[in-house]
Amino acid sequence: MSDAKPVSTPIDKGVKMVKATSPNSQEEIEEMKEIRYQNAIGSLMYASIGTRPDITHAVSRASLLAINPGGQHWIAVKRISRYLKGTSSLKLGFTKSKDSSLKVFCDADGGSDEDDRRSYTGYLFVLAGAAVSWASRKQSTVALSTAEAEYMALTETSKEALWIKETVN
């Protein structure tokens, strides 16, 4: 990937990250065994958890297919790497600021997973201009409406806020 062309986004909207695009034939399965998909996902997760909240959702989606990845899934993982190459100068940083308030953002995507129709929850906590906590994960149950998915996201975000409050005090 050292000679790969950088891209501006970690996910290509045209690539389907669903189980239906996983290999079906033994030949396809054997071909994909040669690719170190799980190793790549592990490396990307390390970056996502430690320093790169911008790839968290893309890595979360790709990791769900690690048991039986297909060619399109591998293309998606390589795209995340290409994105990292193009954005290697980005970093987390704290700046001296009079405003040291904690800002919290959360969202849900409303059942975008085509395999089980569950939504994704995403949240970001920003302190003094730098991200201090973030996540993107699939919700544990199917929401019956986008409003319910948003409430579920808010619940997860509130739990994280309570945990942060307890660890700071």
Side-chain angles (χ1 to χ4, degrees):
M1 298 299 299
S2 62
D3 297 329
K5 182 180 176 186
V7 293
S8 60
T9 60
I11 297 178
D12 180 7
K13 196 168 179 84
V15 175
K16 294 273 188 181
M17 295 294 287
V18 293
K19 290 178 185 173
T21 56
S22 292
N24 294 322
S25 70
Q26 192 60 36
E27 183 181 312
E28 289 174 312
I29 292 170
E30 290 301 319
E31 188 178 305
M32 286 304 296
K33 281 186 179 177
E34 301 296 318
I35 296 172
R36 299 179 60 142
Y37 187 91
Q38 289 86 357
N39 289 24
I41 290 294
S43 296
L44 291 171
M45 277 208 173
Y46 181 79
S48 168
I49 290 168
T51 61
R52 295 299 300 257
D54 52 337
I55 65 167
T56 302
H57 181 69
V59 173
S60 175
R61 297 289 300 244
S63 68
L64 293 174
L65 301 161
I67 292 174
N68 188 21
Q72 281 195 337
H73 310 148
W74 181 237
I75 290 168
V77 168
K78 290 194 296 186
R79 182 178 180 91
I80 299 168
S81 297
R82 290 173 55 204
Y83 171 76
L84 287 174
K85 181 179 181 184
T87 59
S88 61
S89 63
L90 294 180
K91 56 189 170 203
L92 296 175
F94 290 96
T95 57
K96 191 171 184 176
S97 171
K98 291 181 181 179
D99 180 21
S100 62
S101 62
L102 182 67
K103 293 179 177 69
V104 182
F105 305 90
C106 77
D107 198 10
D109 70 352
S112 71
D113 191 303
E114 293 181 24
D115 290 324
D116 59 12
R117 297 322 252 167
R118 290 192 296 180
S119 302
Y120 278 82
T121 290
Y123 60 77
L124 174 69
F125 289 76
V126 178
L127 179 65
V132 293
S133 180
W134 57 86
S136 174
R137 59 179 69 103
K138 195 186 283 193
Q139 293 180 350
S140 58
T141 59
V142 176
L144 300 178
S145 67
T146 55
E148 184 179 7
E150 295 286 348
Y151 283 128
M152 291 164 70
L154 185 58
T155 300
E156 290 301 312
T157 305
S158 298
K159 290 193 292 189
E160 180 71 4
L162 290 171
W163 181 83
I164 289 172
K165 182 182 176 197
E166 287 299 315
T167 56
V168 170
N169 291 336

